[in-house]
Amino acid sequence: TNKTTATSPSARKTMPPKVRVKIPIHVLVYSLGFFPAAAYAYHWYKNAPTDEEFEQQLSKNYSQNIQTSREKHVQMTQFLQNIKDPNNTDQQQRMQEVLLGGRGQQKRHYAVDDSIYGTEEGAKLQKEAVDGSGKIIKKRKKKKKRKD
């Protein structure tokens, strides 16, 4: 009974050994996750428009934005040149106003209605406003006491 089977010792010697490549699972997962991004990048690289085509598309779709951006750029460079020039008193005065935060002159924060200013009706409205604001403050104080 001289049968040669795949499991016999003589058959094992004639078969080439199996090549086993062990790839860690995290390398496989990261490789599979990275592959679509790499494929998309390669596709975009091959099919991307040239600089001239891209510029034509931008000028076609965003010409108004480009024009306003150029105007603002010119204004900004002019503004910075005026700041550098110590002889430009107009610009120096504007910068002082900005730095003072409007404290250089008195400003009126609320509009005055001349039709009721100085009348009994105006005094009544003012009293109601003051009383109303006092109630709001009292409510706030009550809420603070409740929280404590």
Side-chain angles (χ1 to χ4, degrees):
T1 67
N2 215 357
K3 292 183 180 178
T4 313
T5 60
T7 58
S8 68
S10 62
R12 283 188 201 155
K13 291 179 183 176
T14 59
M15 290 178 57
K18 291 183 181 179
V19 178
R20 296 189 116 197
V21 177
K22 292 185 178 182
I23 299 174
I25 189 70
H26 71 279
V27 172
L28 179 67
V29 170
Y30 287 134
S31 298
L32 290 175
F34 180 70
F35 181 74
Y40 178 74
Y42 179 75
H43 172 73
W44 181 83
Y45 178 74
K46 289 295 184 184
N47 299 320
T50 62
D51 290 342
E52 292 81 19
E53 292 171 346
F54 187 65
E55 189 173 340
Q56 286 175 353
Q57 182 182 5
L58 286 178
S59 63
K60 177 183 156 194
N61 296 338
Y62 304 102
S63 61
Q64 182 65 27
N65 294 353
I66 293 170
Q67 184 63 30
T68 56
S69 176
R70 286 181 181 155
E71 290 171 359
K72 288 179 182 178
H73 179 71
V74 168
Q75 289 175 354
M76 186 57 111
T77 54
Q78 183 181 6
F79 174 75
L80 292 174
Q81 289 299 325
N82 287 340
I83 286 178
K84 290 179 184 178
D85 184 18
N87 298 330
N88 192 344
T89 57
D90 224 17
Q91 185 69 30
Q92 297 296 331
Q93 182 182 2
R94 274 191 254 144
M95 287 305 294
Q96 286 300 323
E97 289 175 4
V98 169
L99 292 174
L100 288 174
R103 286 181 260 144
Q105 57 184 351
Q106 184 177 3
K107 292 184 178 182
R108 178 173 283 167
H109 295 288
Y110 302 100
V112 176
D113 188 1
D114 291 333
S115 63
I116 61 170
Y117 184 73
T119 63
E120 290 179 16
E121 183 184 356
K124 181 180 173 185
L125 289 172
Q126 182 182 14
K127 185 176 181 183
E128 288 175 3
V130 169
D131 290 343
S133 66
K135 290 178 184 176
I136 293 171
I137 293 172
K138 289 177 184 177
K139 286 181 183 178
R140 287 181 188 161
K141 287 182 180 178
K142 286 181 182 178
K143 286 182 181 179
K144 285 183 182 178
K145 287 180 182 178
R146 289 179 191 167
K147 288 180 182 178
D148 294 337

